[in-house]
Amino acid sequence: QLQLVESGGGLVQAGGSLRLSCVGSGSIFRVADMAWYRQAPGKQRELAATISTTTTTNYADSVKGRFTISRDNAKNTVFLQMNSLKPEDTAVYYCNARVFRTGGDYWGQGTQVTVSS
């Protein structure tokens, strides 16, 4: 089992920055591919960024160049640094972990990010 707890959301003006954190409980964090998803009001959940167990990263085109995902396995934590925020980044951001060898798929409870214009 892997429990995920996000933090770091809040209200920020356009052009500002926020850093989201997701702490995982359980030793399998180190073998999990991690991701940040987001869901805006009235829209489907979408993938924002991923980081593999080998720290390979990928980003949605909408956040590329502005967001950076990273992980610290010693602290069981994955981060999402968000810079140059735009009102369209407003969403609930969810942390996700996938362990392919077990089929495990875990989600956090989400953290709200609101960007005002």
Side-chain angles (χ1 to χ4, degrees):
Q1 283 288 343
L2 179 60
Q3 294 182 330
L4 302 172
V5 179
E6 303 101 331
S7 62
L11 173 63
V12 63
Q13 288 187 332
S17 298
L18 283 174
R19 189 191 196 202
L20 305 184
S21 300
C22 171
V23 179
S25 63
S27 60
I28 62 173
F29 180 90
R30 295 168 185 250
V31 297
D33 291 321
M34 303 299 298
W36 286 97
Y37 285 76
R38 64 185 186 179
Q39 188 167 17
K43 295 188 177 181
Q44 290 189 334
R45 191 172 297 188
E46 65 175 9
L47 180 65
T50 66
I51 184 166
S52 72
T53 56
T54 58
T55 67
T56 298
T57 59
N58 281 290
Y59 298 92
D61 288 343
S62 58
V63 308
K64 198 171 295 183
R66 300 186 298 121
F67 290 10
T68 301
I69 188 171
S70 60
R71 66 190 297 163
D72 183 344
N73 287 341
K75 296 181 179 180
N76 279 13
T77 303
V78 62
F79 303 98
L80 186 67
Q81 178 66 44
M82 306 185 295
N83 299 328
S84 302
L85 283 161
K86 305 175 181 180
E88 52 262 44
D89 294 318
T90 295
V92 177
Y93 284 70
Y94 296 91
C95 179
N96 172 257
R98 293 186 180 179
V99 183
F100 287 102
R101 67 183 185 185
T102 65
D105 187 9
Y106 308 95
W107 292 89
Q109 83 288 351
T111 185
Q112 176 71 48
V113 171
T114 303
V115 184
S116 63
S117 57

